[in-house]
Every structure is written in structure tokens, then in C-alpha cells.
Amino acid sequence: MKSLFNILLLSVISGNVLAGNIQVSNARFTGKDTATNTVYVTFDLTWDMSWRRPAPRNWDAAWVFVKFRRNPVLNVWEHMVFPFVDGTGTGDGHIPAPGSVIRSSNDNGAGGSFGVFIYGSSNFEPQTVNYTNVRLRWNYASQGVSDWDSVEICVFAIEMVYI
């Protein structure tokens, strides 16, 4: 009986939820700098029904995080940690797509961020957003990756709401 209740409750809750069809595509490494051991994780991000309102100052955003593995044969995925300086995208070394903002937090407790929030830079009514060539700066050496390692990445995005 408990299983049936959970299924019915899930059906009632999900009946009123509109998914944002969030998608990440074209993920790749760009701009590798062997002198500073940094590289950009570059990707395109899109979702439907994105919005940002001036009052009461709330909006939706994408929580974006990246997993990587050095040797695809071993199948050991690690959480990518991005630099945290001041929580602003540009201050942390990231490059937002036009019309977007990147924010992060010191959530690993050691000057690093496990992911970032990406959202619209100005107010707008619900619409489909397409942010192309979002660039997140990664210091790969800080996670034990060398210039000669073969690295595979997987970029994830979850739609969130700031209230």
C-alpha cells in the first residue's frame, strides 16, 4: 500500500510541474595554458521558460557542475573543482555567454567551487535561453591532472530557482 501511495503522490506533484528542458551540448576543452595549468571547459547551455523578474527579485538559473576522468578505461569519475576568488564569474576566471551571469561559492571549503549558477543578466519574461560558449576555468593541476593525461568530461545542468 505504501508503494501505491508514493506513486499517487508523485503523480499529483508532477502533474503541476513544468520542466525547463535544460540541455548542455558541445562540451569541450578550449584555451589550454600549460604555464598556469588551466583550461576552459566550454559548452552551450539552453533551456525553455527561463525568466528573471525585478520584484520580488527572483529568477531561475542552471546549477552546472562537471565530472571528469583521467583514464576512461578505469571509469573513475571525479568532481571538477573550479577556482573561487570572489564568487563572481569573471573574478573566478570564468567567461559567461552574452546575456548571462556566472556565480559560484566556496562550497568545498578550500578556495574552490564544485559548480556554478548561470542565469540571465537582465530582467525578462519566460523565454527560451541559449547561452553559447560558456567557459568555466579549471586549474587541472590542482586536482592531480598533468599536461599529458587523457581527460574525458561530462557537464551536468539542473534548473534551480532563486526566491
Side-chain angles (χ1 to χ4, degrees):
M1 189 63 159
K2 184 178 180 184
S3 298
L4 180 59
F5 175 75
N6 289 340
I7 292 169
L8 290 175
L9 181 60
L10 181 60
S11 297
V12 170
I13 291 172
S14 65
N16 295 325
V17 175
L18 296 175
N21 193 30
I22 197 161
Q23 296 179 28
V24 174
S25 60
N26 203 19
R28 64 207 181 278
F29 288 119
T30 61
K32 184 176 179 180
D33 184 342
T34 56
T36 61
N37 296 315
T38 59
V39 68
Y40 285 107
V41 176
T42 303
F43 56 92
D44 301 333
L45 177 66
T46 184
W47 73 94
D48 300 332
M49 303 299 290
S50 179
W51 52 274
R52 182 171 174 157
R53 298 203 175 93
R57 281 199 48 155
N58 52 25
W59 55 82
D60 72 340
W63 172 249
V64 177
F65 61 97
V66 182
K67 295 282 198 168
F68 74 96
R69 60 181 176 180
R70 275 178 272 252
N71 184 346
V73 176
L74 296 177
N75 202 27
V76 177
W77 288 94
E78 299 176 55
H79 207 98
M80 193 174 282
V81 178
F82 298 103
F84 176 85
V85 176
D86 62 6
T88 66
T90 53
D92 294 340
H94 310 307
I95 302 173
S100 72
V101 171
I102 296 176
R103 295 278 187 251
S104 62
S105 64
N106 186 13
D107 55 14
N108 85 332
S113 178
F114 289 120
V116 299
F117 286 105
I118 301 174
Y119 55 90
S121 59
S122 61
N123 298 322
F124 54 89
E125 291 302 312
Q127 64 183 12
T128 298
V129 293
N130 294 296
Y131 300 129
T132 58
N133 291 318
V134 176
R135 287 173 275 182
L136 304 180
R137 186 172 168 262
W138 180 42
N139 181 331
Y140 54 86
S142 70
Q143 291 193 259
V145 176
S146 76
D147 290 328
W148 303 277
D149 285 332
S150 173
V151 177
E152 183 180 359
I153 59 172
C154 193
V155 180
F156 298 89
I158 302 169
E159 189 176 9
M160 309 289 278
V161 174
Y162 175 78
I163 298 178

